[in-house]
Amino acid sequence: MQNILIVEDDRELNQGIAYALEKEGYSVSAACSMKEAEQRYQRERTALVLLDVNLPDGEGFSFCRQVKEKGDTPVIFLTARDLEEDMLQGYELGADDYITKPFSIHVLLKKIQVIFKRTAKNAKQLFDDGYLRIDFARARAEAGGEECIITPTEFRMLKLFIDHSGQLMTYSLMLDQLWDSGGQFVDKHALAVNVNRLRRKIEKDGHKYISNVYGMGYQWLDELEQS
């Protein structure tokens, strides 16, 4: 369930938005000040932020900057500030949308839906856990900030692993997925050579991603299992 953080000091409006979002199946966190928003964002997994500009203890622009510095969580401004310069500032800070009050809750829900569809599509093309970053769209990989030279076969292997994170990938399944389309015969030994070569490139400084399940295949470790 995707969690949406609502940062709005008008409690009645805050509750109204929360009610509409919960009816659509979203999880909701509510904050009425910058301080409360910062605390909730630090301790909760947030999929999207709905953010007012005028808050009792500061401007939403400052909180948007903090959010974008830490990652790429989508931000939608909901505010009475309708000056062009305010809108431009919001977009320059990385906001995904800027909606002025009063607004249609139906339009807001549609905009949220569109953003989540886009982020889900982008997520499939990018893996980034803070150490290992793989951009499948650009065929680039970095480990610890250093670029890794990855072959096309290794990229297909990475995509297969990440798309099935935490699952056992048997030898036969990997061989079928990775080489069948090219009509090239590759055995289990060749697969092991490719996996070991990939591990040497990405598993640095104690970071482990691929586990060998003896006699069965391989597994891409999820975040809780990596060490």
Side-chain angles (χ1 to χ4, degrees), residues 136 154-170 174 178 191 194-195 198-199 202 209-211 217-221:
F136 292 103
E154 290 166 347
F155 266 111
R156 293 200 301 272
M157 190 179 295
L158 281 169
K159 191 71 168 65
L160 185 64
F161 274 133
I162 292 170
D163 285 347
H164 299 84
S165 177
Q167 301 177 25
L168 170 64
M169 303 299 293
T170 64
M174 291 191 68
L178 294 172
L191 174 63
N194 278 272
V195 170
L198 176 62
R199 292 183 65 178
I202 66 173
Y209 293 97
I210 302 171
S211 175
Y218 301 94
Q219 180 184 25
W220 183 270
L221 304 176

Side-chain angles (χ1 to χ4, degrees), residues 105-115 117:
I105 192 67
H106 299 292
V107 171
L108 173 61
L109 291 173
K110 178 56 68 175
K111 286 178 178 289
I112 292 172
Q113 184 182 63
V114 169
I115 287 175
K117 284 183 178 179

Side-chain angles (χ1 to χ4, degrees), residues 88-122:
L88 291 174
Q89 183 175 355
Y91 285 119
E92 287 170 359
L93 288 170
D96 295 75
D97 213 329
Y98 192 105
I99 302 174
T100 56
K101 302 174 182 176
F103 57 87
S104 164
I105 192 67
H106 299 292
V107 171
L108 173 61
L109 291 173
K110 178 56 68 175
K111 286 178 178 289
I112 292 172
Q113 184 182 63
V114 169
I115 287 175
F116 279 148
K117 284 183 178 179
R118 188 192 70 225
T119 54
K121 181 179 179 181
N122 290 342

Side-chain angles (χ1 to χ4, degrees), residues 160 170-181 184 186-191:
L160 185 64
T170 64
Y171 299 126
S172 60
L173 177 61
M174 291 191 68
L175 291 170
D176 289 342
Q177 293 287 325
L178 294 172
W179 285 284
D180 250 15
S181 60
Q184 180 181 3
V186 179
D187 60 14
K188 190 166 67 173
H189 173 72
L191 174 63

Side-chain angles (χ1 to χ4, degrees), residues 43-44 50 66 83 88 108:
R43 67 172 183 257
E44 299 173 2
L50 298 178
Q66 294 179 42
L83 294 177
L88 291 174
L108 173 61

